[in-house]
Amino acid sequence: MQEKEIVQLIDAQPERHSLAREFYTDPDIYERDIERIYLRAWLYAGHESEIPEPGNWFLFELAGESVIVARGLDGEIRAMLNVCRHRGSRICLERSGCAKRLICRYHGWTYDLEGNLVGASRMNPDFDKSAVRLGRVHVESLDGLIFVNLADQPADFGAVREGLADCLRPYGLAGAKVAHRQTYPIAANWKLAVENYSECYHCAPAHPEYSRGHSLAHHGQRSGKLLDAVMARAEACGLSDRTVTRMFLKAPGFGADFGYERYPLIRQHLTGSDDGRPVAPLLGSIRDYDGGATDLQVGPVTFGLMYCDHVVLYRFTPVTIDQSECDITWLVRGDAVEGQDYDRDRLTWLWDVTTHADKRIIEHNQQGVNSRYYEPGPLSAMENFAWSFLSWYLRLMQADSKKDTAREES
Ligand code: FES
Ligand code: FE
């Protein structure tokens, strides 16, 4: 599909409707999605506790790209492309590991944990190893959460750090640990997965387990008296007005959007669990349950749900045009002991059952959108946030497509 046709498609897009079929099925649009969003945005890669020792590394993969996130011998976290500078082989083949050196198994080129080539046997005498290093990927740590960015010049992460500091502080996430991490494959275009995450219109019909305890599933219950009660308890619980702001913030700079908002849990739920009772020790400096949970967003495709005793992080990445992944991380206090302070099955139950249901409805959505008879449909008030995502996406595609069309015509 030509740029011109994409511009026409965007111009024809009705307000507050789902997108035209091509946005979910056209390979050229998918390529543009990757280039314009995923290769430019800040993306959650993992938590520092997953690479606690020098030499620990793990891979972050999306849309055919592979990034090595490693803790160097100096303790610093760095990210680099998993593409050998000899003839391009993948270097690290497992999902994670520990090594002082990264060795490409094809011809044995060896890199240090900063990505410098330190060994390449039997190359010509004039070959200068010191000029060769793995492609560098920008990396930032936000209270222990590692974000990477594949752009040459990414948007400044400083605004995100500053804007989220108050919200994150009570949770002490730098001292938290990963209790469980799981990747859910979804046979659908990545936008359908993000749209679905961004609205709770589907929660009542699709998620009875979640709807039992979360006001978001019930139109009109997220604000008003219930929220006032949560806010009134904030201070005593070690949270504060500043940490439970009702505002949703947006930072300037592409791919560095962020925001957070606290909302009430319902029916005496203290946290997100099968019966609403705690599933882990209170996090960070939080002293008690205020009856609320905070929705978090960092960058365009990383979301979080912060309860007083655990945090759940969700990241959506494309694998191909109609395959994506939802990666979920459950964080608990760093000193919590499995089997003693928390039970992994109880901790993960709610979002595991909910994500399996989401996977099913998103895949059915893709199957319907593939139909020649599909037409964009109107969104409800409970899908406002999904429309924020879609209109952000359309504005972005429009701005870049118009630029490209002008270039094509000049
Ligand atoms: Fe890595 Fe040859 S491709 S050493
Ligand atoms: Fe859902």
Side-chain angles (χ1 to χ4, degrees), residues 185-297:
I186 303 174
N189 183 265
W190 69 275
K191 290 191 288 296
L192 291 175
V194 174
E195 278 174 50
N196 178 72
Y197 186 84
S198 306
E199 54 91 356
C200 214
Y201 190 34
H202 72 274
C203 292
H207 304 312
E209 304 86 358
Y210 169 87
S211 301
R212 280 207 292 270
H214 294 70
S215 60
L216 226 54
H218 310 278
H219 193 45
Q221 285 196 24
R222 64 186 297 181
S223 53
K225 277 194 185 131
L226 278 173
L227 182 59
D228 291 343
V230 171
M231 301 296 266
R233 279 182 57 72
E235 202 81 48
C237 295
L239 299 151
S240 78
D241 245 16
R242 285 167 68 85
T243 64
V244 296
T245 179
R246 301 168 192 214
M247 302 282 289
F248 210 83
L249 309 168
K250 288 278 175 189
F254 174 79
D257 312 276
F258 67 94
Y260 60 101
E261 183 178 21
R262 198 148 188 87
Y263 65 89
L265 298 168
I266 53 173
R267 299 193 189 104
Q268 274 78 52
H269 277 60
L270 302 177
T271 189
S273 64
D274 52 355
D275 55 6
R277 286 187 299 121
V279 285
L282 287 165
L283 284 165
S285 57
I286 299 175
R287 293 189 293 274
D288 201 355
Y289 294 86
D290 67 344
T294 292
D295 258 341
L296 173 75
Q297 181 181 354

Side-chain angles (χ1 to χ4, degrees), residues 294-409:
T294 292
D295 258 341
L296 173 75
Q297 181 181 354
V298 192
V301 293
T302 304
F303 304 92
L305 187 40
M306 304 202 290
Y307 301 106
C308 291
D309 59 352
H310 70 288
V311 165
V312 195
L313 294 169
Y314 315 80
R315 183 199 62 216
F316 296 93
T317 43
V319 179
T320 62
I321 185 169
D322 55 4
Q323 294 286 333
S324 38
E325 288 181 343
C326 173
D327 175 271
I328 304 190
T329 302
W330 283 265
L331 293 169
V332 296
R333 259 187 101 98
D335 58 3
V337 178
E338 187 178 353
Q340 196 175 303
D341 298 316
Y342 68 95
D343 176 89
R344 194 190 291 226
D345 289 343
R346 255 200 99 216
L347 173 76
T348 57
W349 176 81
L350 177 63
W351 282 101
D352 181 62
V353 77
T354 302
T355 306
H356 275 112
D358 278 327
K359 172 181 162 64
R360 281 194 296 277
I361 55 182
I362 298 166
E363 290 179 348
H364 294 153
N365 194 176
Q366 178 75 55
Q367 289 157 17
V369 163
N370 287 344
S371 162
R372 292 161 191 82
Y373 302 103
Y374 159 74
E375 282 177 36
L379 304 180
S380 74
M382 283 182 83
E383 292 162 294
N384 281 349
F385 199 65
W387 177 244
S388 304
F389 163 67
L390 291 175
S391 50
W392 167 85
Y393 170 79
L394 289 167
R395 278 197 306 276
L396 176 77
M397 294 306 255
Q398 187 171 40
D400 280 0
S401 292
K402 282 199 167 147
K403 252 187 261 160
D404 286 359
T405 311
R407 215 173 294 139
E408 270 170 21
E409 286 172 354

